[in-house]
Amino acid sequence: MSATDAPGVAGAADGVEAATDADHARRALAAVWRIESARIVATLTRFVGDVGQAEDLAQEAMLEALRQWPSEGVPRNGGAWLTAVAKRRAIDGWRRRERLDERYAAMARDLEQQDGEASGTFWDPDTIDDDVLRLVFVACHPVLSREAQIALTLRIVGGLSSEEIARAFLVPVATIQQRIVRAKKTLSAANVPFEVPEPQDYAARLGSVLSVLYLVFNEGYLPAAGEHWVRPDVSAEALRLARMVAELMPREPEAHALVALMEFQASRFGARVGRDGTPIPLDRQDRSRWDRAQIERGRAALARADRIGRGRASYGLQAAIAECHAVAPSADDTDWARIVLLYEALGRIAPSPVVELNRAVAVAMATGPASALRVVDELERSGRLAGYPGLPAVRGELLARLGRDQEARGELEAAARLTGNERERAALLAKAASLPR
């Protein structure tokens, strides 16, 4: 008797196969959600007119996918499948509430025409792109606090979990969950329309929109948690939306400056990670791998912002700093004195402990680690970056350059304990282990 003929083995094999199918389905669903969640929620928001209900429907569709996909297979267009299922759930809800009005009938007929196309091509990229942009403006509506705008946008546009958002802002998970729930209720109570605002309302919304898009971009540039050092898909989505906003508001220099900043930063993605996924710091990157076409797009966007003639604000100054890196042939040949100057200007118009920490890094390159360490020590005493892994990481690097290896090791290990990113943790611990004992 062969091993496969043994009683019970076939059943065990079936069980293993089922588990494999379920695991494949879960991974496929996670990938679809990571890429398509903003489009799905945006489409559903347009369909039902409520962000909170749209996200609830999307979650119900996710549960249905977990039930069906392991046995029926993963559909070719998972995003369309989830959207179609969620729409049917919405219609079912309207039926149960006996609200079969003309709107329902029209939507139901439209859905029936699309039935069976979930694995096909009914996805309309132009319409969906507009929907995602509308979703960004809804999430950044003035009826919400700034903190709520950011949390809600990162959740429904960036596709981040409450845990990831909490890590990014150094606040408890429960705080983020409460902000998101309250934001949805507020939008519903205010009956906020699902639309891009009129031009006269741009100014009131633009600052929040740009801020949130940059946070989404940064989550792709350096994820707060997880196993990846970069998530280019997340940053690419933020850049795409920023380009749309800039074209929507061609006379707003900060919109073009943000595009420039993102282009410069994204140009380095290909050189920031080794073949094995190991992070490569800026001073060791192969600059021939930087995307020169993207750098030129960044310079063009920054020049366009400057031509408007209102001077550089926060994103303009950050883009100028990024441009200094982008055009330098090496780390040693970078114009660090100019970068220090730009950070000082940025600190005056947009003071932030993170800006001050970044200025310290530039000071270290321009004048040496001792003067930079005084800046970092002052930040540490202030407590403004408590729990932020960047603070001990920078302090550890400076101490290492000063030959204070034991203190440096302790700081790098402390930074490793604080970060939620596995790749960053491994790099910090490797750096600590490499220091002389």
Side-chain angles (χ1 to χ4, degrees):
M1 179 180 292
S2 69
T4 53
D5 292 331
V9 171
D14 290 343
V16 171
E17 185 176 344
T20 302
D21 290 342
D23 183 60
H24 171 66
R26 279 195 296 272
R27 285 187 282 108
L29 182 59
V32 169
W33 186 250
R34 186 172 60 250
I35 297 170
E36 303 283 3
S37 61
R39 291 182 173 85
I40 293 169
V41 174
T43 302
L44 294 173
T45 302
R46 178 163 54 86
F47 191 67
V48 301
D50 183 275
V51 174
Q53 186 184 0
E55 196 178 21
D56 290 343
L57 289 165
Q59 294 298 323
E60 290 180 22
M62 296 268 285
L63 292 174
E64 190 61 33
L66 287 173
R67 282 192 289 269
Q68 291 192 26
W69 291 10
S71 58
E72 300 179 9
V74 176
R76 187 161 60 87
N77 191 332
W81 189 97
L82 291 170
T83 305
V85 168
K87 284 183 175 179
R88 290 193 191 95
R89 291 296 178 93
I91 292 171
D92 289 344
W94 293 334
R95 280 178 172 146
R96 285 194 296 272
R97 292 192 300 270
E98 297 181 350
R99 293 172 58 182
L100 296 176
D101 54 13
E102 292 184 359
R103 182 186 182 203
Y104 156 69
M107 291 177 176
R109 283 196 298 273
D110 179 60
L111 186 58
E112 287 173 359
Q113 291 175 357
Q114 298 173 356
D115 195 21
E117 297 179 3
S119 60
T121 58
F122 84 92
W123 202 256
D124 183 345
D126 292 335
T127 300
I128 292 163
D129 285 350
D130 290 345
D131 283 348
V132 174
L133 187 59
R134 290 188 185 97
L135 188 62
V136 172
F137 276 100
V138 168
C140 295
H141 195 277
V143 297
L144 301 179
S145 68
R146 184 62 171 265
E147 292 79 8
Q149 292 172 350
I150 292 171
L152 185 62
T153 307
L154 289 174
R155 172 67 174 271
I156 63 177
V157 179
L160 306 188
S161 67
S162 297
E163 290 77 10
E164 290 172 323
I165 300 170
R167 286 194 193 98
F169 290 95
L170 306 175
V171 298
V173 174
T175 300
I176 294 297
Q177 291 172 332
Q178 289 167 5
R179 284 180 189 170
I180 292 172
V181 170
R182 189 170 183 82
K184 291 177 184 174
K185 290 180 178 177
T186 302
L187 289 175
S188 180
N191 197 23
V192 172
F194 184 62
E195 62 184 17
V196 174
E198 296 298 323
Q200 63 268 23
D201 297 325
Y202 285 171
R205 311 277 283 278
L206 182 61
S208 296
V209 169
L210 297 183
S211 174
V212 168
L213 290 180
Y214 191 41
L215 285 168
V216 173
F217 179 88
N218 281 335
E219 180 55 28
Y221 188 81
L222 179 57
E227 299 178 353
H228 301 288
W229 180 241
V230 296
R231 291 176 62 183
D233 55 327
V234 174
S235 292
E237 178 67 6
L239 175 54
R240 184 184 67 80
L241 293 171
R243 288 171 179 155
M244 292 176 65
V245 171
E247 292 308 314
L248 193 67
M249 307 173 190
R251 294 295 301 164
E252 293 293 341
E254 279 290 84
H256 297 292
L258 179 60
V259 171
L261 175 58
M262 291 181 176
E263 298 277 15
F264 289 134
Q265 303 282 45
S267 71
R268 300 201 292 267
F269 272 139
R272 293 186 65 228
V273 184
R275 292 175 182 264
D276 60 353
T278 303
I280 302 176
L282 178 64
D283 60 343
R284 297 178 192 168
Q285 289 174 16
D286 178 359
R287 299 187 179 216
S288 68
R289 298 183 62 198
W290 289 5
D291 187 332
R292 295 295 159 187
Q294 196 152 30
I295 289 172
E296 289 308 312
R297 287 199 296 274
R299 302 189 80 178
L302 184 57
R304 187 176 178 183
D306 288 342
R307 282 197 299 273
I308 295 173
R310 294 189 216 160
R312 289 175 175 170
S314 174
Y315 293 118
L317 290 169
Q318 292 180 72
I321 292 168
E323 184 181 36
C324 289
H325 291 297
V327 301
S330 69
D332 289 339
D333 293 325
T334 303
D335 189 347
W336 291 106
R338 176 172 170 75
I339 291 176
V340 171
L341 193 67
L342 289 167
Y343 269 123
E344 289 174 352
L346 181 61
R348 291 190 189 97
I349 65 170
S352 147
V354 174
V355 169
E356 190 66 358
L357 185 64
N358 289 337
R359 185 179 73 85
V361 174
V363 167
M365 297 300 293
T367 62
S371 52
L373 185 60
R374 288 193 287 275
V375 177
V376 174
D377 285 347
E378 178 59 33
L379 273 172
E380 186 179 44
R381 282 192 292 272
S382 74
R384 291 186 294 162
L385 286 177
Y388 182 62
L391 180 63
V394 170
R395 193 165 191 276
E397 292 284 348
L398 297 175
L399 289 168
R401 287 181 59 184
L402 291 167
R404 295 161 62 177
D405 296 326
Q406 186 173 350
E407 295 172 81
R409 191 179 305 111
E411 291 293 324
L412 292 169
E413 290 172 349
R417 287 192 294 273
L418 289 173
T419 183
N421 186 289
E422 296 299 328
R423 293 291 181 181
E424 184 178 32
R425 179 178 295 115
L428 289 165
L429 292 176
K431 174 72 175 178
S434 71
L435 295 174
R437 291 183 178 274

